[in-house]
Amino acid sequence: MACLHDHSCEDHDCSSDWSLYKHIDLPKVSALNEAVPGSVKSVFKAWEERLNSSGGHLESNEGDPELLIFIPFTSDVKIKSISIVGGVDGTSPSKMRAFINREGIDFSDAQGMQAIQEWDLVENFQGVLEYQTRYSKFQNVASITLHFPDSFGGDTTKIEYIGFKGEATQLKRDVVATIVYELRPNPSDHKTKAEGGGLSHVE
């Protein structure tokens, strides 16, 4: 399910393809079993910055390579493919499982639940591989949880970059909610006191 870019990035704006990072609700991103709390946020960045490790990386606790990452979006998105850049010396994740629109998943949940899709990963140090989704199942994604059960033999799992290719809806969910609320008629706006204490509609 992995494929190489089918074009030269010198002739194509790859950054725009992988721009869903702009729609990630970064303050709400979280990870279980990260060695440094909050470090998971460092792996979401522009595609052209995917090999820049100066901003930090995500690594699991020593001796336990399992990671679980919760990624909410500011608007519903459609995800076409996912790119993972892992660590060297066997610390890249070897498998990835995805769950859609499921908040609060812990390791026991992830291990016992059927993932919407699973991928066997390969070590991808240059970020030129992407893993295709079953696109019809990755529509209207408000959040995605990625489960990385193991590494390629390393004592930890290290991730330098996670990227999503796809499309975002035009409106953020809070804006949509506001519009829906405003479309609902408020009786107090359309009624007034009538003689005799009853209510009458204002035409």
Side-chain angles (χ1 to χ4, degrees), residues 44-120:
F44 300 101
K45 48 198 169 187
W47 185 85
E48 61 269 21
E49 296 293 323
R50 70 196 184 285
L51 303 182
N52 182 357
S53 59
S54 62
H57 61 269
L58 170 64
E59 188 166 10
S60 68
N61 285 299
E62 186 74 25
D64 185 1
E66 192 172 14
L67 283 169
L68 190 66
I69 305 174
F70 172 68
I71 307 146
F73 296 93
T74 57
S75 61
D76 288 352
V77 300
K78 303 175 183 180
I79 301 175
K80 297 178 180 178
S81 58
I82 303 172
S83 179
I84 306 290
V85 178
V88 298
D89 299 326
T91 61
S92 288
S94 60
K95 187 171 185 176
M96 177 171 65
R97 308 172 70 235
F99 304 89
I100 299 298
N101 300 339
R102 299 294 297 267
E103 296 187 28
I105 296 176
D106 60 20
F107 284 119
S108 60
D109 294 329
Q111 291 162 0
M113 289 168 56
Q114 178 69 43
I116 195 167
Q117 190 170 348
E118 301 185 6
W119 299 262
D120 290 322

Side-chain angles (χ1 to χ4, degrees), residues 5-15 18 47 50 128:
H5 287 323
D6 56 3
H7 55 261
S8 168
C9 290
E10 294 179 358
D11 304 321
H12 183 83
D13 184 9
C14 288
S15 179
W18 296 92
W47 185 85
R50 70 196 184 285
V128 295

